[in-house]
Amino acid sequence: MKKRQYAAERYEDLYSINGERELRESISRFVTTYCAKTNFAGKMLELDGYALWNTRAQVLEANKARREQSEKVIQNRNLQKAERKITQLINENYVTGDLEMYCSFAQEPEDRNEAHRAFDWFVRELRRIYQEHGVELRYLYIDEAEGPDGEPLRFHYHVFVNIEGGVTRDMVEDLWRSRYGIANGTRLVETEFGLTGFAKYVLKAPLSVKYRRKWACSRNIKKPEEHRSARLPNGKTLTKKRMLDLLENRLDPRKFFEDAFPEYRFIDIRAKRSEFVGGVYLYVRMRKKDEPDSRTPSAGAHARNARTNIKSVTSTRQRGSGAGGMPDSEPDNRTEKEGVKNE
């Protein structure tokens, strides 16, 4: 009878400790093998390699560690998950030339409900304009009225919209300005890391605001394609030995993952361990090869040094790192509209 295995996928937040020596020691501890979750969002590919534990005791330990987490840690974890989800939705639905809109009010609304009524009108009218041009509006927005420390701000929206079919930035901006106030549209520009500059706004939500969904999107927003498998597309598996070879640079991670996904170009890789459970958590990013290699200098350095640059990520309980194993800082793809400083 085949022994039951227990996936570490949903406990990624527990994998957050530095130290290459400890990573090596953790690779095989309570682990049968490793599984891969692959997310395809636009031109970006993200792969999470997680352990399959050989004992249920690891699940009990993971759940115990979760129960003992502070409220602040739990809130940070949830915000980071939201940041990663939004980043994936943006990469899947928007491209260079689409818009990030900053919309605020000349006369401050009395409350959040009044602001939302204004935004609902904006979306209805904007959808009508798109229909007149024979295209479908796709939008994703984040509303803000408080800063990171809970201080009150002027109520405003950050909105993503697609630009196509003859619809222009001026049309979108003028619609909001005609009724409510300031509208500043910023043309999106993709980098090696896709579109990452917008999702950080999720983290502005104050930790004191509970159970508040700070973002929403239209129903026609496409979800990224996601697969879970014990095998990569070329038939290779993430065995304990391969994980160790990747960590100790006996196996070139760039060649290994580009062989598995030949249509994609390797960008970077991160590895983390946990003080609570066995195994390591791997995070890999890749980008489609359907365009000339226009990497930023920092991205190019990541790729060139991949063989000797597998790093672990400092605990999110100590500082606010990127979600889901993402690097601590990313290039901000948001550009300023000429002559107007965007907030």
Side-chain angles (χ1 to χ4, degrees):
M1 183 177 178
K2 188 175 180 180
K3 190 173 181 179
R4 187 173 178 182
Q5 300 176 120
Y6 303 88
E9 177 192 354
R10 63 188 291 253
Y11 302 104
E12 180 191 359
D13 58 290
L14 299 180
Y15 289 85
S16 53
I17 304 298
N18 257 333
E20 289 190 15
R21 181 179 62 82
E22 292 84 357
L23 281 170
R24 295 187 187 98
E25 294 173 354
S26 298
I27 284 176
S28 299
R29 188 162 61 97
F30 303 116
V31 174
T32 302
T33 188
Y34 285 82
C35 197
K37 178 179 72 174
T38 312
N39 183 287
F40 299 88
K43 297 175 182 177
M44 300 301 297
L45 181 155
E46 292 177 293
L47 183 143
D48 294 78
Y50 56 90
L52 293 178
W53 295 317
N54 55 24
T55 171
R56 187 169 180 269
Q58 290 293 281
V59 178
L60 299 178
E61 285 294 322
N63 288 332
K64 179 183 176 183
R66 280 272 184 85
R67 288 194 298 270
E68 294 175 353
Q69 288 178 332
S70 68
E71 183 178 1
K72 184 175 181 180
V73 170
I74 294 171
Q75 290 171 333
N76 277 330
R77 181 182 75 215
N78 292 338
L79 288 173
Q80 289 170 0
K81 285 183 178 179
E83 180 189 0
R84 185 172 182 184
K85 181 175 182 179
I86 289 176
T87 298
Q88 291 171 346
L89 287 173
I90 289 170
N91 281 323
E92 175 68 18
N93 289 276
Y94 300 99
V95 297
T96 294
D98 288 337
L99 285 187
E100 176 201 345
M101 294 289 299
Y102 172 86
C103 301
S104 64
F105 296 85
Q107 183 175 350
E108 190 72 4
E110 292 183 2
D111 53 30
R112 188 177 293 270
N113 289 334
E114 182 181 347
H116 286 337
R117 285 194 295 271
F119 188 78
D120 288 344
W121 172 87
F122 174 68
V123 169
R124 284 197 307 271
E125 293 301 308
L126 194 59
R127 185 176 286 120
R128 180 182 58 78
I129 292 173
Y130 274 67
Q131 289 172 346
E132 290 174 355
H133 285 78
V135 293
E136 190 175 32
L137 170 67
R138 297 190 308 276
Y139 67 87
L140 183 151
Y141 73 88
I142 295 173
D143 67 73
E144 288 191 276
E146 303 94 2
D149 299 320
E151 71 275 15
L153 301 174
R154 289 184 63 84
F155 201 99
H156 61 278
Y157 291 93
H158 297 277
V159 192
F160 259 104
V161 295
N162 55 307
I163 296 296
E164 55 185 308
V167 177
T168 66
R169 176 171 63 185
D170 287 341
M171 291 179 185
V172 180
E173 289 177 336
D174 290 344
L175 178 62
W176 180 270
R177 289 171 182 160
S178 68
R179 194 157 179 172
Y180 296 114
I182 300 171
N184 178 18
T186 302
R187 182 176 178 269
L188 298 176
V189 179
E190 294 182 82
T191 70
E192 180 76 351
F193 300 98
L195 298 167
T196 60
F198 183 72
K200 69 180 183 180
Y201 286 112
V202 176
L203 297 179
K204 288 186 178 180
L207 297 178
S208 59
V209 179
K210 293 183 179 180
Y211 314 117
R212 187 128 201 84
R213 188 179 184 184
K214 303 294 291 185
W215 66 279
C217 60
S218 56
R219 293 181 180 179
N220 60 347
I221 287 287
K222 294 177 289 185
K223 293 182 179 180
E225 185 180 344
E226 192 169 270
H227 300 285
R228 291 171 178 79
S229 176
R231 291 186 179 275
L232 299 176
N234 62 351
K236 296 288 182 68
T237 57
L238 290 173
T239 62
K240 291 182 285 187
K241 182 179 184 305
R242 283 203 178 101
M243 292 288 280
L244 185 61
D245 287 345
L246 285 168
L247 182 63
E248 297 187 338
N249 297 315
R250 290 191 294 270
L251 186 60
D252 184 352
R254 183 179 188 177
K255 183 179 187 307
F256 179 77
F257 288 106
E258 287 188 352
D259 286 347
F261 301 94
E263 296 181 359
Y264 288 81
R265 181 173 68 245
F266 178 86
I267 298 177
D268 58 6
I269 184 170
R270 295 290 185 272
K272 304 179 289 182
R273 76 172 182 90
S274 171
E275 63 180 299
F276 306 105
V277 291
V280 299
Y281 206 101
L282 202 66
Y283 175 81
V284 179
R285 254 189 320 193
M286 306 181 74
R287 182 172 174 83
K288 260 192 175 179
K289 293 179 178 177
D290 59 351
E291 59 183 351
D293 188 344
S294 58
R295 335 183 135 99
T296 61
S298 60
H302 270 309
R304 287 192 300 273
N305 297 330
R307 185 177 175 84
T308 58
N309 194 30
I310 297 184
K311 299 178 180 177
S312 50
V313 179
T314 303
S315 173
T316 57
R317 285 163 291 184
Q318 300 171 5
R319 60 184 171 88
S321 66
M326 295 180 72
D328 303 322
S329 61
E330 300 289 4
D332 189 342
N333 341 54
R334 299 176 304 123
T335 59
E336 291 185 3
K337 184 179 177 183
E338 186 175 355
V340 181
K341 187 176 181 180
N342 198 0
E343 291 190 300

